[in-house]
Amino acid sequence: MTVQNDLPAGLAKPALRALAEARIVSLEQLSAMTASDLSQLHGIGPKALQQLREAMAHKGMAFMGESEK
């Protein structure tokens, strides 16, 4: 099974590198993580977290422990 890369196109390169190094290629994978865990990755800052949170909310997903908005 191939996982579709549905990460937001506007993410900064450091955030994209951090996700790639963690082998994260989809919003579904992110929904199994907490925002706090994700923010520990070097390159993931508040702006990237917000972009990811918005992209996930658009698809009815949220970080673990957060409710979908």
Side-chain angles (χ1 to χ4, degrees):
M1 178 179 141
T2 304
V3 177
Q4 176 69 31
N5 183 335
D6 59 356
L7 299 173
L11 281 176
K13 290 195 185 310
L16 289 172
R17 279 194 299 271
L19 293 171
E21 287 175 14
R23 294 185 174 12
I24 297 169
V25 297
S26 73
L27 296 176
E28 186 176 348
Q29 287 174 292
L30 290 173
S31 69
M33 301 179 71
T34 66
S36 178
D37 287 341
L38 189 61
S39 70
Q40 299 303 307
L41 297 178
H42 181 74
I44 302 291
K47 183 176 178 182
L49 276 177
Q50 187 58 34
Q51 288 174 299
L52 292 167
R53 188 176 278 119
E54 289 171 4
M56 291 168 70
H58 185 71
K59 293 195 171 197
M61 295 185 257
F63 289 115
M64 187 187 326
E66 295 182 7
S67 60
E68 296 102 28
K69 298 188 169 115

